[in-house]
Amino acid sequence: MEQNTLTRRGVGLRGLDHDLVSPGYILYAHLTSPGTVRLIANDGMEVHRWNLPYRPGRHARILPNGNLAYNGVHPDGPRLFPMWQKYRGGVMMQVDPDGKVVSEYRDPLAHHDQHHLDNGQILYTTLEALTPEQAKTVPGGIPSSEAPDGNVYADCIKLVDPADDGKVLFHWRAIDHLDPATFPLQPHYAREHWPLINSVHPLRDGNILASLRSVSAVIIISRETGEVTWHLDSSVVAQQHCASELEDGSILVFDNGTFRHRESSTYSRVIQVDRHTKQIVWEYRDRSFPCAFFTPFMGGAQRLRNGNTLVTEAVFGRMFEVTPDGRICLEYVNPHFADYKQLQAPELEDIGFDYPANAVFRAYKYTPDQVPWLRLPN
């Protein structure tokens, strides 16, 4: 009998409603692969693949110019603390459809998220060690759970121009602009990394939207002053990921639900929040049994052109599409499993990631006109 629970429940294409699904292809990077990015059609067939030289530093996107933006794990990056091996990146690449590397920018302290802008600049998250005095100002977290070197690492956001020798155009430091008392680490979170920015998104007005996982907050940062001009706190979100701006200015968030206030049962959801009122104006959670849709970490949500939403239930490699009224019209589960043993990250096996996984940090869907280079098999 099959002993892998996810495989036994079913992988690959699990369901498709041709009348409701949006046209297009799902792009995803398998986190425990050596560097495999796949493009999947609605019928579950793989139509394109990139085999890249570094394991995924989270996810990949297809850019308007047709290139793949890929965040790979830096081969010589520092080993700051065990969990750092799980989500670090550092090699920010553009790769053409044939797999040729067009450009590459490196920062060994980069992690989680990176945006290649249309003008060639890159917006991304990185970190730095706090001074002992600064670290003492960060409240919360598990006592004595600092990194092995005793450090507390804090996030930065950078905007760089790789074409100009990596010139730094914007450098935001969390410790300079966040009051730790307002953004304390949640009690169950390690003190090694504060506030753990897991997504950074350029807004149309030039400001920056960021998701702060270990303090359960979504914020908007002024590009002009660096100050926080908008703050969605832990009364609404819990360990959330993937905050993005929609056409009407509202904010779409994948709300993981870990350590959610006032609730003992865990479930994930996707919420759309009005920026002015901070009220939830749209929400998806599993209709039949909310706890059946849950990923304790990672996750993604993308609003599609036809109004549907692509959701990534990351830990289980599950990608599914829902209509505005919450009907699932496509479900695909990554059928590929691997562990970290071949990926030079033994620390992860020591902290519980010692099993074959099909995890996907975040997936994206593209309409046929967004991939005009795609050559489908006959």
Side-chain angles (χ1 to χ4, degrees), residues 44-115:
M45 297 299 295
E46 180 180 311
V47 295
H48 197 77
R49 183 191 300 185
W50 291 262
N51 293 310
L52 299 168
Y54 313 105
R55 72 176 171 96
R58 304 290 84 184
H59 59 94
R61 292 186 180 91
I62 295 175
L63 302 174
N65 64 11
N67 289 337
L68 182 80
Y70 180 73
N71 189 14
V73 171
H74 196 296
D76 303 313
R79 307 179 98 85
L80 303 179
F81 45 86
M83 188 59 78
W84 171 247
Q85 286 288 69
K86 185 79 163 63
Y87 54 68
R88 69 186 182 92
V91 184
M92 292 162 260
M93 312 167 66
Q94 283 198 40
V95 184
D96 73 13
D98 295 323
K100 179 183 176 182
V101 177
V102 176
S103 64
E104 184 177 294
Y105 177 79
R106 295 190 174 200
D107 179 344
L109 294 177
H111 64 91
H112 275 97
D113 212 1
Q114 44 116 41
H115 280 264

Side-chain angles (χ1 to χ4, degrees), residues 111-122:
H111 64 91
H112 275 97
D113 212 1
Q114 44 116 41
H115 280 264
H116 291 254
L117 307 184
D118 292 344
N119 60 8
Q121 298 170 2
I122 304 177

Side-chain angles (χ1 to χ4, degrees), residues 143-287:
S144 303
S145 61
E146 288 79 6
D149 54 12
N151 281 329
V152 173
Y153 293 88
D155 284 307
C156 305
I157 296 173
K158 287 185 177 181
L159 178 68
V160 300
D161 186 355
D164 191 5
D165 293 323
K167 180 180 179 181
V168 178
L169 307 172
F170 177 78
H171 185 188
W172 182 88
R173 301 171 71 240
I175 195 64
D176 291 338
H177 297 286
L178 297 184
D179 178 2
T182 305
F183 295 88
L185 284 164
Q186 292 192 302
H188 301 86
Y189 214 90
R191 290 183 51 78
E192 58 202 12
H193 190 172
W194 171 87
L196 210 166
I197 298 177
N198 57 32
S199 75
V200 58
H201 181 88
L203 298 174
R204 289 191 295 274
D205 62 10
N207 294 319
I208 297 169
L209 177 70
S211 165
L212 286 52
R213 171 172 165 80
S214 63
V215 301
S216 290
V218 178
I219 61 174
I220 293 176
I221 299 164
S222 167
R223 271 285 305 277
E224 182 177 350
T225 66
E227 297 308 305
V228 173
T229 61
W230 189 84
H231 175 199
L232 191 68
D233 65 20
S234 60
S235 65
V236 180
V237 290
Q239 304 277 290
Q240 76 300 316
H241 284 73
C242 196
S244 63
E245 180 186 32
L246 301 182
E247 288 297 321
D248 63 0
S250 58
I251 306 299
L252 189 70
V253 180
F254 186 97
D255 184 30
N256 291 75
T258 312
F259 311 135
R260 182 178 283 122
H261 286 195
R262 301 179 301 278
E263 295 192 49
S264 58
S265 61
T266 51
Y267 61 89
S268 295
R269 61 181 182 170
V270 177
I271 57 175
Q272 180 179 341
V273 178
D274 183 280
R275 197 187 303 190
H276 302 291
T277 66
K278 298 185 181 178
Q279 297 299 307
I280 296 173
V281 296
W282 180 84
E283 178 180 14
Y284 170 78
R285 64 176 78 178
D286 191 277
R287 281 181 164 185

Side-chain angles (χ1 to χ4, degrees), residues 16-26 40-42 304-308 321 329-330 365-371:
L16 175 65
D17 188 321
H18 293 276
D19 296 327
L20 298 179
V21 72
S22 62
Y25 308 93
I26 295 174
I40 304 295
N42 280 341
L304 305 176
R305 285 184 185 176
N306 71 345
N308 289 355
E321 185 177 324
C329 56
L330 169 70
K365 192 169 189 180
Y366 298 91
T367 53
D369 64 287
Q370 292 176 302
V371 286

Side-chain angles (χ1 to χ4, degrees), residues 32 338-341 345-357:
T32 51
D339 56 36
Y340 284 99
K341 289 177 182 174
E347 300 95 326
L348 295 179
E349 296 182 44
D350 295 337
I351 58 173
F353 297 100
D354 57 349
Y355 52 87

